[in-house]
Amino acid sequence: MNLRASEGPRQPEPTPELNELYRSFEDELLVPLWTEIGDLMPPSPRPQAQAHTWRWANLLHLAERSGTLVPVGRGGERRAIALANPGLGGAPYATPTLWAAIQYLNPREDAPVHRHSQHAFRFVVEGQGVWTVVDGDPVAMRRGDFLLTPGWRFHGHHNQSGTPMAWLDGLDIPFSHYVGSGFSEHGPDAVEDHSTPALSRSERLWAHPGLRPVSQPGSSGSSPIAAYRWEHTDAALHDQLELEAEGHPGVVEAGHAAVRFTNPTTGGDVMPTIRAEMHRLRSGVTTAARREVGSSVWQVFEGAGAVEVGSRRWDVERGDLVAVPSWQPMTITAGTSLDLFRFADTPIFESLHAARVHVDGDHS
Ligand code: GTQ
Ligand code: FE2
């Protein structure tokens, strides 16, 4: 049932006594439900966040400028520049729950070691040469890789190469900030282990398909895999589309392959607050309009196409980012073969039994 003020009992005519009553509410910091109910209990979500697109070329240019003008070190902690959703009053929030930022390190630079309760990941749309050291384990960052820094692990980054590197950070900072659940502390000012292994110890222990070390307990909170490598993600997407061509199931819809990054000890999402996926569309494919409770951010990894969110439509290309507010319908059209990275706050809503999905034309 839709709750609207106009359908409720008629509001009384204004009188001096009624005005006095409303003034008294204000004085006592009280708000009556009957004047607010339309906004508080809409028939379906009306998020304050807006659909919006940020261009990678512009982000990279400003990150490079920051690289020449702003040092990275203790205090500021990171040369990270956050996407600020136009509906969220200038706060550094891509969506009400999700932080998305471009982070930039010059050649030979270190970002100091710290830890925080907020969960973090990195996604690399281009470049290489930085190692992120998570609880002492150096993890190489290369194009297409998805890397985890779950909450409360010490981490610093170091650029061991002669070229700058930029990447996408995603965290649950806004969620943690709204609900007042954040803790943090400093570690050493520089990364202690500057070694450059191709594979982290975490991957050598955990990242073999379908296999887990018998010695290790499961971890229901966050995945123990520090890096999900592009070669594996790419192969999984490639095989889904090839199976489709051979007449076998696997794709989410015609011409649309997708994989979710998972915690191998649970099969669930990589971290308690963040879901992450990689999608591949065949050239010419348009996805069914889909809406979900909760918000997400997409980044084009390769190719070009168009993204429609609600009444907005943008042409997008490599690196471009799109914020998708709760319950707004989204469709993607691939102008070329199109790879997209996506992260979302869905695990929060699934934990709370508040998740909903609607896909146009899907009556199952
Ligand atoms: O790299 O540790 O974009 O702590 C925001 C907070 C990155 C990081 C961000 C962080 C980091
Ligand atoms: Fe951090």
Side-chain angles (χ1 to χ4, degrees):
M1 189 184 69
N2 296 353
L3 299 172
R4 271 188 245 126
S6 60
E7 289 169 353
R10 193 101 47 77
Q11 297 295 314
E13 295 302 325
T15 60
E17 290 87 346
L18 190 65
N19 292 340
E20 170 59 24
L21 176 65
Y22 284 140
R23 257 196 311 279
S24 302
F25 286 155
E26 269 184 52
D27 290 346
E28 294 295 323
L29 299 178
L30 299 169
V31 177
L33 173 64
W34 59 84
T35 62
E36 303 290 326
I37 191 153
D39 185 45
L40 289 176
M41 290 187 181
S44 60
R46 284 182 206 147
Q48 287 180 273
Q50 294 172 23
H52 193 77
T53 296
W54 290 262
R55 302 292 173 190
W56 183 248
N58 297 343
L59 297 181
L60 193 58
H61 171 71
L62 294 170
E64 283 163 358
R65 294 282 297 144
S66 307
T68 65
L69 296 172
V70 183
V72 63
R74 186 55 81 203
E77 299 296 299
R78 299 292 184 259
R79 192 186 288 111
I81 307 156
L83 312 187
N85 190 292
L88 298 178
Y93 303 163
T95 78
T97 51
L98 299 171
W99 167 278
I102 182 172
Q103 183 167 164
Y104 190 88
L105 270 188
N106 280 311
R108 314 293 168 201
E109 265 183 338
D110 266 28
V113 178
H114 68 198
R115 67 176 174 180
H116 37 73
S117 54
Q118 293 87 350
H119 301 291
F121 72 81
R122 335 270 158 210
F123 179 71
V124 184
V125 71
E126 60 192 13
Q128 57 183 23
V130 169
W131 271 255
T132 178
V133 183
V134 181
D135 271 346
D137 188 14
V139 189
M141 298 176 65
R142 295 182 287 257
R143 171 165 156 80
D145 295 345
F146 171 68
L147 306 109
L148 296 189
T149 316
W152 217 240
R153 315 280 175 87
F154 279 111
H155 56 285
H157 319 306
H158 62 102
N159 187 347
Q160 288 296 100
S161 78
T163 49
M165 184 176 171
W167 64 88
L168 173 71
D169 289 322
L171 293 94
D172 56 6
I173 290 173
F175 174 70
S176 173
H177 190 245
Y178 279 126
V179 301
S181 64
F183 296 84
S184 73
E185 62 187 32
H186 292 164
D189 286 350
V191 171
E192 283 163 334
D193 185 347
H194 278 205
S195 65
T196 56
L199 288 180
S200 60
R201 293 194 293 275
S202 148
E203 291 163 87
R204 291 162 62 204
L205 195 55
W206 284 102
H208 303 285
L211 301 169
R212 61 181 279 191
V214 171
S215 68
Q216 299 302 112
S219 87
S220 58
S222 294
S223 169
I225 299 180
Y228 296 73
R229 298 297 174 190
W230 174 241
E231 57 182 296
H232 301 136
T233 312
D234 182 37
L237 293 169
H238 171 90
D239 284 355
Q240 263 187 36
L241 289 179
E242 203 171 67
L243 284 164
E244 180 189 34
E246 294 165 8
H248 298 290
V251 292
V252 287
E253 59 187 328
H256 177 186
V259 290
R260 182 168 301 160
F261 299 99
T262 57
N263 176 342
T265 72
T266 63
D269 286 294
V270 285
M271 296 187 292
T273 51
I274 297 177
R275 168 164 296 174
E277 297 171 346
M278 201 77 199
H279 292 248
R280 175 169 295 170
L281 308 188
R282 291 186 197 279
S283 179
V285 163
T286 295
T287 62
R290 179 188 172 88
R291 44 176 104 208
E292 250 191 59
V293 163
S295 53
S296 59
V297 177
W298 293 70
Q299 185 175 36
V300 175
F301 178 67
E302 186 64 76
V307 172
E308 224 176 295
V309 186
S311 59
R312 308 294 306 273
R313 187 174 205 271
W314 296 277
D315 290 322
V316 289
E317 58 186 18
R318 191 202 263 212
D320 290 352
L321 289 137
V322 183
V324 182
S326 185
W327 211 242
Q328 292 207 8
M330 178 187 198
T331 65
I332 306 168
T333 300
T336 64
S337 172
L338 183 61
D339 286 355
L340 304 117
F341 171 74
R342 164 185 193 254
F343 68 106
D345 58 7
T346 325
I348 298 175
F349 300 100
E350 290 189 347
S351 308
L352 301 175
H353 302 275
R356 288 200 201 196
V357 179
H358 177 85
V359 182
D360 272 11
D362 185 355
H363 303 293
S364 58

